[in-house]
Amino acid sequence: MRYPHWQFFESVDDELHSLSRIIEFERENFPAFSVYLSRLYLSVASEIDVVAKLLCERIAPTEEPKRISEYRPLITAKFPKFAHLRIEMPSHELDFQPWLSWSSGTNPQWWKTYNDVKHERSKYYRDANLGNVLQSTAGLLVLLVYFHQPELYSKNSPIQPDFKMMRIERRYAGALTWGFSYSLPDFGNSHDRPPPTDRSPTLV
C-alpha cells in the first residue's frame, strides 16, 4: 500500500457517508453515542497519533516526540497557520477548526476526551459521540494535507481528493480535482513552485 494513511482516511470518509444516512449530521445530534462511534473514534485518534509523529520526524529528524503535547510545538513552529485550517462538510453545512486550540498552546478537547475514552471507556463511554468523531476526523485530514503536501502539489497527483464528506476550506482548494491551481496555508500556491524531487514534504 503506497499511501496507507491517505487510504485510511478514504475508508473513514466512506464510513461517515454511510453513517450519515442513519443519523443526521447536525450539531443537535453531536451528543449521540454508540459502540460503532466508539470504535471509529478510537481508530481515527490512533491514526492521528501515527501521522502527527511522522510529520514531526520530517520537521525535526533528531527529535523524538512521543505525545501530542510534544508534537504541538514542533508542528506549530514550522507551520504557523496549521491550527487555523478549516475543514468543511458542505453537504451538511458544517465546518471545523479541529486544531484551533493549538494556537493558544493547548490541546483540543476532542483529544483529551479521546484519552478518557481510551483509558476509562466504561466511565466516559458517552463521550465517544458523533461530535468528537467528526472533530477528530477533521483533525486527521488537516494532518494528512500537510503530510502529503508534495503529492498534492504534484501535476499528476497520485492521490485524489474526491472525498464524499469532508474537504479543506474552499479558499485553499477552489476545485477538488487535481490539475487546477492548488494552495495550502504555509506553502503558497502549487503553480508558483517547482515540483518536488522526492516524496518528502516541502517544509519551507
Side-chain angles (χ1 to χ4, degrees), residues 11-25 29 32-41 89 92 128-131 133-134 137 165:
S11 176
V12 171
D13 190 73
D14 281 339
E15 288 195 60
L16 290 178
H17 184 254
S18 297
L19 182 62
S20 70
R21 297 172 178 173
I22 299 171
I23 180 171
E24 188 65 31
F25 284 8
N29 286 334
F33 62 95
S34 69
V35 171
Y36 176 87
L37 287 169
S38 178
R39 178 188 63 79
L40 198 56
Y41 189 26
M89 297 183 69
H92 297 277
N129 56 44
L130 177 63
V133 167
L134 295 181
T137 304
M165 300 298 292

Side-chain angles (χ1 to χ4, degrees), residues 149 153 186-195 202 204:
Q149 180 263 337
Y153 274 42
D186 297 309
F187 293 106
N189 191 286
S190 60
H191 283 190
D192 297 332
R193 308 178 66 83
T202 310
V204 295

